[in-house]
Amino acid sequence: MDVYCYQKESVQIMDFGAPISIDIAGTALTEDDRRRLAHPLTGGLILFARNWQSRDQLTELCASIKDVREDLLICVDHEGGRVQRFREDGFTHLPPMRVFGEMWLDDGKGPVGAGALRAQDAASAAGYVLGAELRACGVDLSFAPVLDLDWPDGRTGASRSSVIGDRAFHSDARVVTLLAKSLMHGLLRAGMQHCGKHFPGHGYVRADSHVDIPVDPRGLRTLLAADAAPYGWLSSTLAAVMPAHVIYPKVDARPAGFSRVWLEDILRARLGFTGAVFSDDLSMAGARMLDGRAVSHTEAALAALEAGCDLVLLCNQSLEGGAPIDALLDGLSEAVVRGRWSPRGASEARRRSLLPAAPALEWDELMRSEAYQHALERLP
């Protein structure tokens, strides 16, 4: 049993739940990093390219994180294409997901549908390579695959969304679903779970939620028939989902990641999803305005958790001393003490279910693995 004190008040924490995922500034843990990671409300952290120096350094960093708490979930945005945090010292350069959608359409000299079958096999190979390489260095989870649709601009034919673009498999929800399922199969073969994003869909809006608050004017029926369709078709497969910092005003006035309508009524009740829900980064512009007013990271975290998120991400706040991270940890602790928020056992169980269930192959062993070598051969 741990006891956490907040301003001379204490709350006993037993099997408490750890919904906060944070970041660190450098390539090794500082004492402040260790203190924050040891906090009972911290459940994981997300790595970035700045945390990378070499494979050996990354492996050592991940081991030191697990030394703080073995149950911490080590995550990364590592999709392939332009979103791949580690690219050197042996890591495979994976193609953007659009490449698999293009393969789907190319039957070559084979029968009709041959391209689709080759694309699915290649996507599984990519998932295996992605997951196995990360796991060999100690990373537990990659926030992949992207389930957004690559909506074309009616005037230019280019992607409507520059932030999604070639990160998406295709513009057809059926193709996206099957290629994503194939990639997820490869990740699972490597012993890694997966996280589909960005529910119910970020591909139709032009604005980037990192720096703006995108608004999608379409109605629920249209969204469920297109962008959100993969989430229903994959409801018995997906381990985790990340909602979009996008407002769909015909459904709810709040962005999806802060909307009980989207997360509980639609994602869980209507589409049948039972896995973990991560918020997207609470430091993004799309998360800093709720109900027409600016909110603190703590307010945003509480809103996301109350809406149905199991875990909340706060990224890139360690770079100048980490005061925003400390403020969030203190703010959520105070909310517990004051009775403004209480954790849910189901959320903690979902978080722990994302941890790898078996040891990973070490790098040198992986390089000699027949399955890994075959997967490399299948990549486009």
Side-chain angles (χ1 to χ4, degrees):
M1 181 183 296
D2 296 319
V3 178
Y4 176 72
C5 296
Y6 178 82
Q7 292 183 348
K8 300 183 180 178
E9 298 187 48
S10 66
V11 59
Q12 290 186 331
I13 300 171
M14 179 185 293
D15 297 327
F16 189 70
I20 299 176
S21 291
I22 62 176
D23 70 302
I24 60 174
T27 56
L29 294 183
T30 65
E31 286 306 308
D32 280 338
D33 292 331
R34 293 179 187 278
R35 170 179 57 79
R36 292 168 187 141
L37 291 172
H39 193 291
L41 289 176
T42 301
L45 83 164
I46 180 169
L47 299 173
F48 291 92
R50 66 172 182 270
N51 305 126
W52 160 268
Q53 203 170 53
S54 68
R55 277 192 296 105
D56 287 345
Q57 168 271 324
L58 178 63
T59 304
E60 189 173 322
L61 173 60
C62 290
S64 67
I65 292 164
K66 294 293 186 176
D67 284 343
V68 175
R69 279 215 343 250
E70 191 174 350
D71 72 300
L72 289 170
L73 184 67
I74 303 174
C75 307
V76 68
D77 273 325
H78 195 89
E79 305 165 7
R82 56 195 160 104
V83 182
Q84 181 170 337
R85 304 305 185 202
F86 317 132
R87 297 171 177 269
E88 301 170 345
D89 202 8
F91 268 90
T92 301
H93 287 212
L94 296 165
M97 296 302 101
R98 177 184 286 168
V99 168
F100 299 101
E102 292 169 347
M103 285 184 68
W104 182 288
L105 299 174
D106 182 9
D107 291 331
K109 297 180 180 180
V112 174
L117 295 173
R118 282 197 301 271
Q120 290 177 77
D121 189 46
S124 291
Y128 181 77
V129 170
L130 188 161
E133 291 180 354
L134 289 175
R135 288 217 57 215
C137 295
V139 178
D140 298 323
L141 179 72
S142 177
F143 291 120
V146 167
L147 298 180
D148 300 310
L149 305 189
D150 184 17
W151 283 97
D153 186 296
R155 294 167 297 177
T156 67
S159 300
R160 286 179 66 96
S161 171
S162 61
V163 73
I164 300 301
D166 66 359
R167 296 167 65 193
F169 287 104
H170 203 272
S171 59
D172 187 322
R174 298 166 297 180
V175 176
V176 169
T177 299
L178 290 174
L179 288 176
K181 189 171 187 178
S182 298
L183 187 99
M184 288 152 52
H185 176 69
L187 288 170
L188 289 171
R189 283 191 64 222
M192 179 176 282
Q193 294 289 357
H194 45 262
C195 180
K197 59 187 185 184
H198 307 81
F199 176 78
H202 201 310
Y204 190 81
V205 292
R206 291 185 174 88
D208 179 354
S209 55
H210 291 83
V211 296
D212 204 347
I213 305 174
V215 177
D216 189 328
R218 296 173 299 163
L220 180 59
R221 181 178 298 179
T222 299
L223 289 160
L224 290 177
D227 300 67
Y231 294 90
W233 292 330
L234 295 171
S235 63
S236 61
T237 308
L238 281 166
V241 163
M242 180 180 289
H245 287 328
V246 176
I247 297 174
Y248 308 85
K250 289 185 179 178
V251 181
D252 193 9
R254 285 190 164 190
F258 302 95
S259 166
R260 195 167 185 84
V261 174
W262 275 115
L263 299 185
E264 294 291 350
D265 297 347
I266 299 174
L267 179 62
R268 292 207 185 277
R270 186 163 182 166
L271 299 182
F273 175 67
T274 61
V277 177
F278 284 87
S279 80
D280 207 341
D281 177 13
L282 296 180
S283 71
M284 291 163 58
R288 302 310 309 278
M289 293 286 294
L290 287 179
D291 304 326
R293 69 180 184 88
V295 296
S296 68
H297 293 132
T298 297
E299 289 176 293
L302 286 169
L305 292 168
E306 289 165 359
C309 287
D310 300 298
L311 301 106
V312 292
L313 282 167
L314 184 61
C315 304
N316 297 312
Q317 300 304 301
S318 63
L319 298 177
E320 296 182 3
I325 299 175
D326 291 330
L328 175 58
L329 292 170
D330 284 347
L332 196 57
S333 299
E334 182 182 15
V336 174
V337 171
R338 306 296 187 195
R340 293 177 54 212
W341 175 75
S342 58
R344 296 173 295 180
S347 290
E348 177 63 3
R350 290 172 187 141
R351 182 187 74 84
R352 289 178 176 269
S353 73
L354 299 175
L355 291 163
L361 293 178
E362 294 185 0
W363 190 271
D364 288 346
E365 187 178 2
L366 178 64
M367 295 300 105
R368 297 191 297 268
S369 162
E370 185 177 358
Y372 175 77
Q373 292 298 328
H374 177 73
L376 288 178
E377 293 170 1
R378 307 302 291 175
L379 293 177

